[in-house]
Structure formats: C-alpha cells, structure tokens
Amino acid sequence: ETDEAHNDFVYYRKDSSYQNDDIVIVSNDRLNYVNDSDVGYFIKRVIACPGQTITFYLTDEKTSGLVITYYYDIIVKDKNGNVINLDTSYLIEEMSFTSTYLAITPSTWFRTIFSNLTNPLLSEDERLFSLTLEDNEYFVMGDNRDHSNDSRYFGPVEYQDIAGDVKLHVPYGKSIFHGIWQAFISIF
C-alpha cells in the first residue's frame, strides 16, 4: 500500500496499563481531544499515571515590553508522595508561555493550570498547580513541549482512549528492518 502523505509507520500494542515515560498512541475519536477532524490518533509521552500527582511550578519570569514570559517545570509524585524521576534527556528547551498567549488561548485546562503561576498576588510557594489523577487517567505531553497540544490543553486522557504504546517506529522511506535495527541499537 502506498503512503501518499509520506507518513512514518508506527507499530503499537495495547497493554493492561502504562508507565511514566511510555510513548503512547491516543485515539482522538471519542472525546475529540484535538480539535481537528483529520486527526484520528496522536503520539504523546505518559508523564503521570493513575493515582499520581503532577505539579506545575514557576521557575522564572522575564518581561520584555508589555509581554511577560513565564518559565515553568513539573514534578510528578507517586501515591506515597515519592518523586518519580522522569527522563527529560530529549527536551531541548525550557517550558514556557507568554502572558499574551494565556490571554488568547481558548483552553480551559491551560488557564486552570497556569492561572496560579501567573498571579503576582500569590507568594512564590503558592504559584503552582497540582492535579492528582483518577484511577483510569493519564497525563500525556508531547516531547516538543512548547508546541504540543496535550493534556495541558485538553486534560488527562482515559485508559480506554489509549490505543497502545509504541513498540516500533519506522521513519518514512525506511524499511521495517531499519526500524528494527534502530530499536535494537537503542538498547545499548
């Protein structure tokens, strides 16, 4: 079968549960997470799992003219309050957004998460947002954090909306053997 859209091929499998840092395929059909009817599935990384708490906190803010840029980070804790160390080696920039973006974004989730971080009336310790996930919820984020439509915009995804975790990625124009070889050498 030809691939006229020049897409990569991704092989995935449904598991009984998913772990932090798993790369998963999320179905857009049931809840329309992404407001584009052409998007049937999207790939994201699991950041927090059922029962875990994700906290967003302000790390810095810089003003340029009338625009404030807010820099933030996250911390994830398990049910017992222990910090879960996430792999962030793939991130190339700090997570940030501007005051103008917060003013124009239609996302209720984004506003809910980040309104405390931008509130100058709160103390530094209060400028955070925490969310504990329900039994069937996962918080997913894209690896290109500042340009990703993910759980920061549409909230946690449910287990039933995860089609599976990525087992093999074959880039467009490469053979399946290339994908297998890349997966094999990434182990070492």
Side-chain angles (χ1 to χ4, degrees):
E1 191 172 326
T2 61
D3 178 22
E4 294 177 22
H6 303 294
N7 293 318
D8 294 0
F9 287 94
V10 177
Y11 299 89
Y12 58 93
R13 185 184 77 207
K14 183 84 171 172
D15 286 333
S16 59
S17 66
Y18 301 98
Q19 305 300 317
N20 303 83
D21 289 322
D22 280 353
I23 298 174
V24 296
I25 309 293
V26 180
S27 172
N28 194 37
D29 294 337
R30 193 173 69 84
L31 295 175
N32 205 21
Y33 291 119
V34 179
N35 293 329
D36 184 343
S37 60
D38 292 339
V39 177
Y41 296 91
F42 51 93
I43 299 174
K44 299 295 174 195
R45 187 178 298 266
V46 174
I47 301 301
C49 299
Q52 295 177 350
T53 301
I54 183 169
T55 300
F56 292 79
Y57 61 93
L58 188 67
T59 59
D60 197 10
E61 63 181 78
K62 295 180 181 169
T63 303
S64 175
L66 298 175
V67 177
I68 304 171
T69 301
Y70 298 96
Y71 296 89
Y72 66 96
D73 208 346
I74 58 172
I75 189 167
V76 178
K77 294 183 179 179
D78 66 16
K79 294 175 184 179
N80 298 321
N82 300 313
V83 174
I84 296 171
N85 292 318
L86 300 173
D87 176 17
T88 58
S89 62
Y90 54 86
L91 296 177
I92 58 172
E93 60 192 1
E94 291 180 87
M95 293 183 285
S96 66
F97 64 93
T98 64
S99 54
T100 54
Y101 183 77
L102 184 65
I104 64 168
T105 183
S107 168
T108 304
W109 269 98
F110 193 89
R111 288 172 186 264
T112 300
I113 292 171
F114 294 110
S115 62
N116 276 5
L117 274 67
T118 61
N119 187 343
L121 301 177
L122 297 176
S123 72
E124 193 172 308
D125 293 341
E126 295 172 316
R127 293 176 83 173
L128 52 83
F129 173 83
S130 293
L131 172 69
T132 301
L133 298 173
E134 299 294 328
D135 289 340
N136 67 337
E137 293 180 330
Y138 292 85
F139 200 93
V140 297
M141 293 172 70
D143 287 356
N144 189 357
R145 297 283 164 86
D146 281 348
H147 307 284
S148 176
N149 191 2
D150 53 37
S151 286
R152 292 170 294 176
Y153 298 91
F154 49 71
V157 298
E158 295 183 9
Y159 170 80
Q160 64 189 4
D161 295 319
I162 298 176
D165 64 332
V166 173
K167 298 300 182 190
L168 180 65
H169 170 235
V170 181
Y172 171 74
K174 302 291 183 179
S175 72
I176 191 168
F177 300 109
H178 173 81
I180 293 170
W181 176 250
Q182 291 293 40
F184 176 74
I185 62 173
S186 71
I187 295 171
F188 302 105

